[in-house]
């Protein structure tokens, strides 16, 4: 796997994600470990400082899976919000965990269950809470 681009994480998102990681078990454990690595290497900043082109929780993201040549639009959500979000992808899903903190134009190689890998590119942030002044959602 190649190196991963630098990431920026909203402090509140980082705290909530860490609490989620701390209680994970079973089949989500591998994703939780990868997500925890991302939190450890990310630059954690206050919500008001998040750049408008950065994927944060509850952002609607347009991205391309370069491995499969497939473009998607998904809203990155916590697992409990998945059922209520029509285009939602859980941050605890392998692809969802890869998106957090990336910026428009970033490409990341991300391991998948079963030994595969996805290469993802962030194409656009269609909606972001911080950009809309929603800093404490």
């Amino acid at each position: 796997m190649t190196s991963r681009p630098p990431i920026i994480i909203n402090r509140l998102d980082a705290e909530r994600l860490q609490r989620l990681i701390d209680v994970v078990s079973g089949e989500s454990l591998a994703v939780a470990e990868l997500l925890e690595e991302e939190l450890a290497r990310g630059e954690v900043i206050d919500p008001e400082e998040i750049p408008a082109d950065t994927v944060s929780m509850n952002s609607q993201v347009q991205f391309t899976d370069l491995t499969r040549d497939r473009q998607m639009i998904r809203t990155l959500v916590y697992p409990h919000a998945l059922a209520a979000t029509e285009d939602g992808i859980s941050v605890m899903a392998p692809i969802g965990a890869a998106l957090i903190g990336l910026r428009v134009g970033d490409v990341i190689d991300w391991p998948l269950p079963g030994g595969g890998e996805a290469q993802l590119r962030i194409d656009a942030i269609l909606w972001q809470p911080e950009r809309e002044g929603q800093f404490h959602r």
Side-chain angles (χ1 to χ4, degrees), residues 19-83:
R19 284 195 301 267
L20 186 62
I21 290 165
D22 289 345
V23 298
V24 164
S25 62
E27 61 187 48
S28 297
L29 198 53
V31 174
E33 289 172 356
L34 287 168
L35 187 55
E36 192 163 39
E37 286 175 21
E38 291 297 273
L39 290 180
R41 76 179 190 85
E43 177 186 357
V44 178
I45 61 176
D46 287 334
E48 296 82 3
E49 298 173 6
I50 292 288
D53 66 345
T54 301
V55 179
S56 62
M57 291 304 300
N58 300 302
S59 292
Q60 186 180 50
V61 185
Q62 180 176 320
F63 64 97
T64 301
D65 180 339
L66 298 169
T67 310
R68 292 160 191 78
D69 193 28
R70 182 173 165 214
Q71 190 174 69
M72 294 169 262
I73 296 175
R74 297 285 182 270
T75 299
L76 185 64
V77 298
Y78 295 99
H80 71 271
L82 195 55

Side-chain angles (χ1 to χ4, degrees), residues 9-16 19 45-52 54 56-59 78 127-137:
I9 302 173
N10 169 335
R11 180 181 44 79
L12 296 176
D13 289 348
E15 291 168 1
R16 292 173 182 146
R19 284 195 301 267
I45 61 176
D46 287 334
E48 296 82 3
E49 298 173 6
I50 292 288
T54 301
S56 62
M57 291 304 300
N58 300 302
S59 292
Y78 295 99
W127 191 86
Q128 182 208 59
E130 293 85 356
R131 192 167 63 203
E132 302 300 319
Q134 297 181 20
F135 301 116
H136 303 286
R137 80 244 166 271

